[in-house]
């Protein structure tokens, strides 16, 4: 089922020389997209019966880690494309799965994720895009249902490149999800305002103005849109961001070790100064801890462990913080060289900030983690034999 992590390192080595080109271009050049397609990464969240080359979450996480070492912007392509593929695989109609999944797996189509709106950021339930069923006459007396979508989605990673969009809307007070195609009537894609981090993530805003999609493009049932479809997609997204943050933190740690062991001041190497060693060891410690939490979360997703949500929240929180700390150490220890506009250290600092915002901000995830822990605490209090440790056997 899963390929060994060596495939991830191979992709990482292939992409590494392209890091500056991707950042300077503020877009992802077609040959880089081709390299990603060639690695099979876009097929990883598609079942084999629909033309996919499924990977375990651990192996997919490793791909995300390897790509983020080169470019966090580029890694976000794996995040959102994977979220669209897994949602469609799990919740899509059979007709839409058969029609779109093979093309998503081959990279012929790219998917983007449209949840955020002006009035719905952290509060995903507040989406205001409306979904209204209409009767349609498709000709030859073939009367069916289409859904009319109206609203605006913001900040879709790789929205500029995407061919289809997983969009969340409301039908009355029930949330619904749809797969919208770029060539559907009433769809307009406009590049978002430029962001300081993730400069090459090709962000777009999506305008739906009387957009009509056939009923078989609904993903999940009415009422299930945000709670189930977005919920499970966000778990995968958070795992990807956790592994992406880990890759970014690793790149920072390597740069810090390389620089401080070659740079000489006061007659010796920076790395031999105790205060410098404190910064370096803190960054390495947090990065190593994040690696273990990422592996624990990926294992939980692979085994559909009861602790899945808690482990994914923990991994995303810890890894994005590790990236923040490691990039701050890199900036501090490179001195003026770290401040070069558009240089790798500058990029890591900006991208690490984004990792603490996307797929749930640090504060939102802290809130969710506290709630999840509280619920488990209540269960443990009622059932003292309930295990504190994940994976422990709670059977009598
Ligand atoms: C580079 C980039 C790529 C993105 N890609 C996508 C994408 O592909 N698809 C998509 O749908 N969206 C995308 N987004 C949007 C992203 O998901 C949102 O920015 C994120 O959900 C936060 O929403 P917001 O920006 O509206 O901030 P708000 O919700 O306004 O939150 C602002 C801050 O308030 C605090 N806060 C919010 N809620 C709480 C809470 N409950 N408890 C404590 N503090 C809280 C946090 O500090 C938070 O950072 C992207 C954003 C960026 C920057």
């Amino acid at each position: 089922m899963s390929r060994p992590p060596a495939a991830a390192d191979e992709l990482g080595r292939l992409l590494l020389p392209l890091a500056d080109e991707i950042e300077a271009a503020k877009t992802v050049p077609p040959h880089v997209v081709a390299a990603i397609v060639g690695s099979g990464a876009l097929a990883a969240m598609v079942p084999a019966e629909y033309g996919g080359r499924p990977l375990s979450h651990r192996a997919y996480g490793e791909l995300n880690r390897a790509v983020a070492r080169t470019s966090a912007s580029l890694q976000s392509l794996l995040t959102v494309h994977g979220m669209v593929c897994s949602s469609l695989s799990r919740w899509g109609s059979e007709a839409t799965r058969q029609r779109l999944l093979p093309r998503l797996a081959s990279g012929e189509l790219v998917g983007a994720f449209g949840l955020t709106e002006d009035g719905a950021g952290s509060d995903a339930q507040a989406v205001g895009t409306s979904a209204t069923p209409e009767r349609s006459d498709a000709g030859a007396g073939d009367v069916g249902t289409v859904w009319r979508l109206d609203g605006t989605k913001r900040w879709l990673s790789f929205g500029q490149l995407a061919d289809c969009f997983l969009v969340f809307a409301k039908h009355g007070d029930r949330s619904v999800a749809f797969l919208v195609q770029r060539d559907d009537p009433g769809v307009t894609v406009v590049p978002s305002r430029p962001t300081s981090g993730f400069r090459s993530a090709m962000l777009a805003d999506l305008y739906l103005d009387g957009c009509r999609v056939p009923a078989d493009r609904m993903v999940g049932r009415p009422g299930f849109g945000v709670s189930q479809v977005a919920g499970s997609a966000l778990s995968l997204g958070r795992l990807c961001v956790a592994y992406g943050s880990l890759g970014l933190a690793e790149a920072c740690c390597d740069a810090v070790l390389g620089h401080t062991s070659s740079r000489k001041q006061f007659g010796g190497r920076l790395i031999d100064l105790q205060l410098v060693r404190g910064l370096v060891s803190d960054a390495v410690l947090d990065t190593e801890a994040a690696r273990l939490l990422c592996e624990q979360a990926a294992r939980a997703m692979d085994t559909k462990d009861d602790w899945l949500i808690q482990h994914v929240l923990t991994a995303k929180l810890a890894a994005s913080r590790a990236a923040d700390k490691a990039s701050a150490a890199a900036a501090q220890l490179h001195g003026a060289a770290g401040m070069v506009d558009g240089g790798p250290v500058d990029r890591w600092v900006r991208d690490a900030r984004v990792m603490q915002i996307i797929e749930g901000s640090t504060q939102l995830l802290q809130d969710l983690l506290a709630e999840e822990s509280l619920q488990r605490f209540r269960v443990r209090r009622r059932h003292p034999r309930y295990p504190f440790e994940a994976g422990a056997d709670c059977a009598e």
Side-chain angles (χ1 to χ4, degrees):
M1 162 98 165
S2 72
R3 243 180 293 155
D9 288 335
E10 206 176 292
L11 178 63
R13 267 194 298 277
L14 183 76
L15 294 175
L16 202 56
L18 305 171
D20 291 342
E21 183 188 342
I22 297 170
E23 184 69 2
K26 295 189 179 171
T27 180
V28 177
H31 63 278
V32 177
V33 178
I36 295 285
V37 171
S39 74
L42 300 189
M45 289 292 124
V46 177
E49 61 267 38
Y50 298 102
R53 288 159 65 191
L55 293 181
S56 66
H57 289 92
R58 167 92 198 280
Y60 195 53
E62 288 294 331
L63 277 178
N64 278 269
R65 180 189 62 78
V67 174
R69 282 188 67 115
T70 293
S71 165
S73 294
L74 182 57
Q75 180 256 320
S76 67
L77 172 61
L78 271 58
T79 304
V80 292
H81 187 85
M83 288 163 82
V84 172
C85 291
S86 70
S87 301
L88 194 51
S89 304
R90 184 165 177 195
W91 305 99
S93 69
E94 184 56 26
T96 303
R97 282 197 289 228
Q98 288 203 8
R99 199 165 56 78
L100 295 182
L101 280 176
R103 299 170 72 199
L104 284 161
S106 70
E108 181 193 338
L109 301 180
V110 167
F113 186 78
L115 181 58
T116 304
E117 299 177 2
D118 286 337
S122 303
D123 184 5
Q125 292 284 1
V127 288
T129 294
S130 64
T132 316
E134 291 180 344
R135 301 292 287 170
S136 84
D137 186 348
D142 184 13
V143 178
T145 306
V146 296
W147 285 79
R148 177 190 163 127
L149 303 176
D150 291 278
T152 303
K153 294 291 174 182
R154 300 284 185 207
W155 311 115
L156 282 82
S157 299
F158 285 90
Q160 294 177 38
L161 187 71
D163 308 279
C164 49
F165 309 87
L166 184 60
V167 164
F168 296 86
K170 280 270 176 66
H171 171 47
D173 60 357
R174 294 193 297 174
S175 65
V176 270
F178 288 94
L179 215 283
V180 170
Q181 292 187 228
R182 199 186 188 101
D183 54 7
D184 283 332
V187 172
T188 310
V189 179
V190 176
S192 304
R193 281 172 289 161
T195 50
S196 59
F198 280 44
R199 280 186 181 168
S200 306
M202 302 182 76
L203 295 171
D205 296 340
L206 176 69
Y207 293 85
L208 304 167
D209 184 10
C211 166
R212 286 176 172 81
V213 296
D216 68 5
R217 281 216 249 125
M218 186 184 283
V219 181
R221 285 194 278 138
F224 276 49
V226 170
S227 62
Q228 303 293 317
V229 183
S232 63
L234 285 171
S235 282
L236 175 63
R238 285 169 186 158
L239 184 77
C240 291
V241 173
Y243 268 99
S245 302
L246 174 62
L248 199 160
E250 281 178 1
C252 293
C253 289
D254 282 358
V256 160
L257 289 164
H259 180 73
T260 56
S261 57
S262 60
R263 170 82 173 155
K264 291 205 168 117
Q265 287 293 282
F266 302 102
R269 304 180 309 167
L270 289 181
I271 191 70
D272 294 326
L273 299 168
Q274 276 190 334
L275 288 174
V276 170
R277 293 171 91 87
L279 279 177
V280 172
S281 61
D282 277 356
V284 170
L285 175 64
D286 283 15
T287 303
E288 289 305 307
R291 183 191 317 284
L292 295 176
L293 291 172
C294 282
E295 287 171 5
Q296 174 174 263
R299 213 170 24 247
M301 287 194 76
D302 283 332
T303 57
K304 299 187 173 53
D305 190 293
D306 185 34
W307 284 67
L308 186 159
I309 292 175
Q310 176 133 350
H311 287 336
V312 170
L313 291 172
T314 322
K316 201 275 188 175
L317 269 172
S320 58
R321 281 178 172 172
D324 199 36
K325 188 179 273 186
S327 63
Q332 192 65 24
L333 293 174
H334 279 75
M339 294 292 105
V340 173
D341 187 22
V345 178
D346 170 50
R347 182 175 81 237
W348 293 327
V349 171
R350 289 182 283 103
D351 288 347
R353 174 57 44 201
V354 173
M355 296 296 196
Q356 295 215 48
I357 294 173
I358 54 173
E359 313 303 342
S361 70
T362 294
Q363 292 68 37
L364 179 69
L365 265 51
Q366 284 177 308
D367 186 54
L368 296 176
L369 180 57
E371 186 56 37
E372 186 75 13
S373 305
L374 185 60
Q375 283 179 19
R376 287 181 180 280
F377 172 71
R378 287 191 186 123
V379 173
R380 269 207 316 281
R381 210 163 40 179
R382 280 199 306 272
H383 308 284
R385 296 288 307 269
Y386 190 83
F388 184 72
E389 295 290 334
D393 184 4
C394 66
E396 290 292 317

